[in-house]
């Protein structure tokens, strides 16, 4: 409060004097923006109301208001404010100011769900990190980048940037953020199979519990509970759950995580109570995919398969796996692209002649490589295709085996189709390993493939069983039964022309064009076969 009053006094001064008084008032607010974000936001609103003069002061105000809004948990989705700061600091200011301007621009993009634009801003901020001295700001940047890499399943980079964030927070002496980076790092390491490293991170956080905020202690318990469940440690989970509830009580816990723990322990009455508490405190729970995911496991574990199916259906409708695939495709290359552009921009004037000579050499080298690759490609294409098909058969065999073991079909006809398909796959792979020539196997393969309707039917049945979400996705997009079968043939590795020849319909480009249109793919987007296989 005293700092806010000091800012108010400075406001009175620059209201009459202007000039550097405005920047002085803004720097005063900056000095306590992290400790008192609410007071800082109020002071900045007062400054904005009084009006500021000069491009630098307006940029400083825009940057600080972006920071204050974020620290007060206001998710800004309009970049008009932070753009004022980015416009100025991209050409002026020190490395810390540039880093923060780009970082908060990335946060706005992230609030809008645009991971690609967010990462582009974060990479620009990272380019300033070497000259920046604010370790907390650098830690926040690396933590945000780690999160995006985690969401696109690039866990190697996610771990790298989470560890950078941890080091920055430790160097800055911010133990609460340091603990948060450790819990996040433990989750990534566990997902990568580095169980000892994950547990070591949590053990470090446990020693710091008395000095951590309530939010951070809660975060520790949630991660620790999920790990105990993952390793099947019921005794450890029960003890940890008891500690969690005794420290926080029902009003402070994460109800869905506690419900999952009770489900794993077989205490379904307590799990049901936690689900009820979650619904009571989250009116919008019907739009939460995580809620239905946890509910599905609850119903399945308690033997209520009809309700389990309903929960799974709601979860599949709410989750959008396609957006994850697209984000992974676009976002993963932004860092490399920007770094290359930055290096070229800095060296362009002095390397023009070298680039020209190198380009000429590349042309000559490319011509030679092209001729050589043409010869090798013709020789190796059939072998590569053969290996790829064998790999897909092995994958299909493993998926069918797991599906039949965990969730066998109810009706006898479906079970026979899948069992026959699995037996055939096992024989093909056994023949591949032993290099034997099984005449009966060859006859069975020829019979199955030559009977077009049977092959299309069994292939679709296999995908419907092993990849129900894949079939549901296609049906939701309005594909006909024939078009779904067409897509299944693409997914097992056939090319459009091969499929058209097999099903006896010419003009595979027209067939593919209709499917691409229903799937929302433009004429210049990714190859249809690659796209369908990526969905799996």
């Amino acid at each position: 409060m005293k700092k806010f009053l000091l800012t108010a006094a400075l406001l009175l001064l620059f209201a009459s004097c202007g000039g550097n008084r405005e920047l002085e008032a803004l720097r005063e607010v900056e000095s306590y923006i992290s400790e008192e974000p609410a007071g800082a936001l109020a002071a900045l609103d007062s400054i904005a109301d009084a009006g500021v003069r000069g491009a630098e002061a307006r940029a400083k105000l825009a940057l600080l208001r972006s920071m204050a809004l974020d620290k007060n948990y206001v998710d800004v989705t309009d970049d008009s404010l932070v753009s004022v700061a980015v416009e100025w600091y991209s050409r002026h200011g020190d490395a810390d100011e540039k880093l923060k301007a780009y970082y908060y621009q990335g946060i706005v993009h992230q609030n809008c769900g645009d991971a690609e634009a967010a990462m582009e801003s974060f990479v620009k901020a990272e380019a300033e990190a070497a000259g920046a001295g604010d370790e907390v700001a650098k830690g926040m940047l690396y933590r945000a980048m780690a999160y995006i890499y985690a969401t696109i399943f690039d866990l190697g980079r996610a771990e790298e940037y989470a560890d950078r964030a941890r080091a920055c927070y430790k160097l800055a002496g911010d133990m609460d953020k340091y603990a948060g980076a450790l819990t996040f790092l433990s989750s990534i390491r566990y997902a990568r199979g580095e169980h000892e490293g994950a547990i070591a991170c949590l053990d470090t956080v446990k020693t710091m519990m008395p000095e951590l905020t309530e939010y951070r202690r809660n975060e520790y318990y949630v991660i620790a509970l999920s790990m105990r469940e993952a390793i099947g440690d019921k005794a450890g989970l029960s003890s940890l759950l008891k500690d969690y509830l005794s420290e926080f009580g029902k009003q402070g816990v994460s109800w869905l995580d506690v419900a999952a723990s009770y489900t794993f322990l077989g205490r379904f009455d307590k799990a049901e109570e936690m689900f009820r508490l979650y619904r009571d405190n989250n009116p919008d729970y019907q739009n939460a995919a995580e809620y239905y995911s946890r509910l599905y496991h609850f119903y399945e574990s308690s033997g209520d398969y009809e309700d389990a199916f309903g929960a799974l259906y709601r979860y599949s409708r709410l989750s959008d796996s396609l957006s994850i695939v697209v984000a992974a495709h676009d976002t993963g290359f932004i860092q490399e692209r920007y770094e290359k552009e930055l290096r070229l921009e800095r060296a362009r004037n002095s390397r023009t002649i070298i680039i020209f000579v190198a380009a000429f050499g590349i042309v000559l080298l490319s011509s030679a490589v092209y001729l050589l690759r043409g010869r090798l490609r013709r020789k190796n294409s059939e072998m590569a295709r053969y290996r790829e098909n064998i790999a897909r058969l092995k994958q299909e065999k493993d998926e069918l085996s797991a599906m039949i073991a965990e969730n066998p079909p109810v009706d006898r006809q479906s079970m026979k189709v899948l069992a026959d398909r699995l037996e055939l796959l096992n024989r093909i792979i056994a023949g591949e390993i032993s290099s034997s020539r099984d005449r009966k196997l060859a006859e069975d393969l020829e019979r199955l493939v030559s009977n077009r309707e049977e092959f299309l039917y069994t292939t679709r049945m296999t995908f419907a069983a092993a990849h129900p979400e894949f079939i549901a996705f296609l049906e939701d997009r309005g594909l006909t039964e024939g078009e779904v079968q067409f897509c299944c043939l693409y997914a097992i590795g056939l090319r459009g022309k091969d499929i058209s020849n097999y099903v006896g319909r010419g003009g595979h480009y027209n067939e593919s064009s209709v499917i691409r249109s229903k799937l929302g793919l433009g004429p210049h987007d990714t190859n249809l076969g690659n796209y369908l296989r990526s969905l799996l």
Side-chain angles (χ1 to χ4, degrees), residues 33-106:
I33 194 170
S34 296
E35 293 77 17
E36 299 178 26
L41 183 58
L44 291 168
D45 287 341
S46 298
I47 293 175
D49 291 340
V52 293
R53 288 159 291 181
E56 183 178 2
R58 286 194 293 270
K60 190 72 171 178
L61 175 61
L63 176 58
L64 293 180
R65 286 199 79 241
S66 298
M67 294 171 61
L69 288 167
D70 182 67
K71 292 178 185 298
N72 281 280
Y73 307 104
V74 178
D75 291 337
V76 178
T77 56
D78 182 352
D79 66 352
S80 58
L81 176 65
V82 74
S83 293
V84 175
V86 170
E87 174 66 22
W88 171 265
Y89 290 116
S90 62
R91 294 175 286 111
H92 307 88
D94 58 27
D96 283 295
E97 291 167 322
K98 294 177 188 292
L99 183 148
K100 291 173 184 176
Y102 285 125
Y103 168 75
Y104 284 102
Q105 182 187 50

Side-chain angles (χ1 to χ4, degrees), residues 113-116 151-153 320-334 473 477 519-521 525-526 531 534-535:
D114 191 344
E116 182 181 1
T151 60
I152 62 173
F153 306 111
D320 187 357
S321 59
L322 178 60
S323 65
I324 295 176
V325 174
V326 174
H329 178 75
D330 291 338
T331 308
F333 301 100
I334 291 173
F473 175 84
R477 266 56 181 181
L519 295 177
L521 296 176
D525 289 337
T526 183
Y531 172 76
S534 75
L535 292 180

Side-chain angles (χ1 to χ4, degrees), residues 3-18 20-29 47:
K3 292 178 179 178
F4 177 74
L5 292 174
L6 176 58
T7 305
L10 288 169
L11 283 173
L12 293 176
L13 285 173
F14 85 68
S16 59
C17 301
N20 292 332
R21 297 290 187 182
E22 298 176 356
L23 286 171
E24 186 178 344
L26 290 170
R27 292 190 184 103
E28 174 60 28
V29 176
I47 293 175

Side-chain angles (χ1 to χ4, degrees), residues 436-453:
S436 63
R437 297 292 181 265
D438 187 340
R439 178 177 296 179
K440 179 64 168 56
L441 172 61
E443 292 173 354
D444 288 346
L445 275 172
E446 183 177 359
R447 177 192 58 76
L448 176 62
V449 175
S450 62
N451 189 333
R452 188 175 63 202
E453 291 185 3

Side-chain angles (χ1 to χ4, degrees), residues 23 49 65 128 159-160 195 254-255 262 287-288 353 370 378 382 389 401 449 514-515 536:
L23 286 171
D49 291 340
R65 286 199 79 241
E128 306 297 334
E159 180 177 1
E160 174 190 346
H195 297 171
S254 173
W255 290 287
Y262 278 131
N287 294 319
I353 297 177
Y370 178 80
R378 287 189 294 272
E382 290 186 2
N389 289 335
S401 299
V449 175
V514 172
I515 295 174
L536 298 177

Side-chain angles (χ1 to χ4, degrees), residues 37-312:
L41 183 58
L44 291 168
D45 287 341
S46 298
I47 293 175
D49 291 340
V52 293
R53 288 159 291 181
E56 183 178 2
R58 286 194 293 270
K60 190 72 171 178
L61 175 61
L63 176 58
L64 293 180
R65 286 199 79 241
S66 298
M67 294 171 61
L69 288 167
D70 182 67
K71 292 178 185 298
N72 281 280
Y73 307 104
V74 178
D75 291 337
V76 178
T77 56
D78 182 352
D79 66 352
S80 58
L81 176 65
V82 74
S83 293
V84 175
V86 170
E87 174 66 22
W88 171 265
Y89 290 116
S90 62
R91 294 175 286 111
H92 307 88
D94 58 27
D96 283 295
E97 291 167 322
K98 294 177 188 292
L99 183 148
K100 291 173 184 176
Y102 285 125
Y103 168 75
Y104 284 102
Q105 182 187 50
I107 292 297
V108 173
H109 291 315
Q110 201 169 42
N111 292 339
C112 296
D114 191 344
E116 182 181 1
M119 183 60 91
E120 190 161 0
S121 295
F122 292 153
V123 169
K124 290 178 181 177
E126 186 185 17
E128 306 297 334
D134 190 333
E135 295 296 331
V136 171
K138 289 195 285 188
M140 292 166 62
L141 169 65
Y142 294 141
R143 174 66 171 77
M145 296 177 76
Y147 174 79
I148 291 183
Y149 279 124
T151 60
I152 62 173
F153 306 111
D154 188 345
L155 298 181
R157 286 203 169 181
E159 180 177 1
E160 174 190 346
Y161 279 90
D163 195 46
R164 288 189 190 183
R166 176 201 60 78
C168 288
Y169 290 141
K170 185 175 183 180
L171 187 61
D174 192 327
M175 291 298 101
D176 200 64
K177 284 186 171 62
Y178 173 61
L182 280 170
T183 54
F184 183 48
L185 187 59
S186 71
S187 299
I188 297 172
R189 286 180 173 172
Y190 191 86
R192 299 193 71 194
E194 302 169 6
H195 297 171
E196 291 185 4
I199 293 172
C201 288
L202 286 182
D203 288 343
T204 301
V205 175
K206 189 175 182 180
T207 64
M208 304 161 56
M209 292 290 275
E211 55 186 305
L212 301 180
T213 61
E214 179 180 319
Y215 172 84
R216 202 63 71 192
R217 297 198 309 275
N218 203 315
E219 185 179 57
Y220 161 80
Y221 277 113
V222 167
I223 298 296
L225 286 172
S226 65
M227 284 195 186
R228 292 291 181 186
E229 180 181 339
I231 63 177
D233 182 6
K234 289 191 174 183
L237 177 62
S238 182
S239 176
L240 190 65
L241 189 58
K242 183 179 179 181
D243 292 342
Y244 184 25
L245 293 175
S246 65
E247 180 172 349
F248 286 92
K250 293 180 180 178
Q251 298 305 313
V253 302
S254 173
W255 290 287
L256 288 183
D257 290 293
V258 174
S261 296
Y262 278 131
T263 298
F264 179 74
L265 294 172
R267 300 182 61 184
F268 302 120
D269 56 334
K270 298 295 291 183
E272 198 165 22
E273 180 185 351
M274 292 299 106
F275 281 121
R276 179 182 58 76
L277 285 171
Y278 177 79
R279 291 191 296 269
D280 291 345
N281 289 271
N282 294 272
D284 196 36
Y285 72 90
Q286 291 182 331
N287 294 319
E290 184 185 9
Y291 167 73
Y292 288 103
S293 173
R294 300 295 179 90
L295 199 62
Y296 160 71
H297 289 293
F298 167 73
Y299 283 134
E300 183 189 39
S301 300
S302 60
D304 189 347
Y305 298 113
E306 183 176 351
D307 285 337
F309 177 79
L312 183 60

